[in-house]
Amino acid sequence: EGSNIPTVLPSSLLDSIAKWCKRKENGVDLNAREGVLKAKRNKESEVEGEYRMEVEDYNRSCNVFRSINGGKKLMDAELASRCMMRSKLDNNILGKIWELADYDQDGMLTEHEFAVALHMCRLKQKG
């Protein structure tokens, strides 16, 4: 169910992030409709599929990252934690989400890692 936090990033979420990062970094506009249709065609289990992030959510999170991070490529743990704490989730849950999102384990978040963190917070809030 959506309230569980996986111990590793689900492949559906990783695939979405990887695809959108690459397309953005190459300067290609992301076609939201194409992203949604491709996600719906994926042959995933229900558990795995429920972690998918829609392109609109990804773009919203990246815009938040850019607006509050002063143009820096990495967000420090203090600022990222304050954003995550707005979810009102328990600190233990937030810690697990952080471990999952900070997949290079450098103690800071890229905009893509930040998008994963906010997405997992939203899923946990939905229960």
Side-chain angles (χ1 to χ4, degrees):
E1 101 184 358
S3 63
N4 292 334
I5 297 175
T7 56
V8 295
L9 280 172
S11 63
S12 59
L13 185 52
L14 270 176
D15 291 345
S16 296
I17 294 292
K19 175 184 70 176
W20 297 330
C21 292
K22 182 177 180 187
R23 291 182 71 185
K24 290 180 78 102
E25 288 169 4
N26 289 336
V28 178
D29 289 334
L30 180 62
N31 181 327
R33 185 165 178 251
E34 178 186 334
V36 171
L37 290 175
K38 184 167 184 164
K40 288 181 180 175
R41 286 195 301 266
N42 283 342
K43 304 283 189 219
E44 299 172 322
S45 69
E46 287 182 51
V47 171
E48 188 70 10
E50 77 181 76
Y51 293 105
R52 264 193 313 262
M53 184 187 319
E54 300 297 336
V55 66
E56 294 83 4
D57 292 333
Y58 174 78
N59 287 335
R60 187 179 326 115
S61 295
C62 289
N63 287 336
V64 169
F65 179 95
R66 289 183 209 115
S67 71
I68 65 174
N69 203 38
K72 294 181 269 180
K73 299 284 185 197
L74 295 171
M75 182 180 288
D76 65 52
E78 182 181 338
L79 182 55
S81 295
R82 278 188 279 157
C83 291
M84 292 171 63
M85 289 171 67
R86 290 181 188 159
S87 68
K88 307 268 193 252
L89 295 172
D90 179 82
N91 284 341
N92 290 330
I93 298 296
L94 292 175
K96 290 178 183 178
I97 291 172
W98 178 275
E99 288 175 18
L100 192 64
D102 183 18
Y103 41 86
D104 59 4
Q105 301 297 300
D106 65 354
M108 301 172 82
L109 299 181
T110 65
E111 72 177 27
H112 315 300
E113 291 171 326
F114 182 75
V116 168
L118 293 188
H119 181 66
M120 294 306 295
C121 285
R122 282 187 216 107
L123 288 178
K124 183 63 180 169
Q125 285 175 310
K126 288 180 184 177

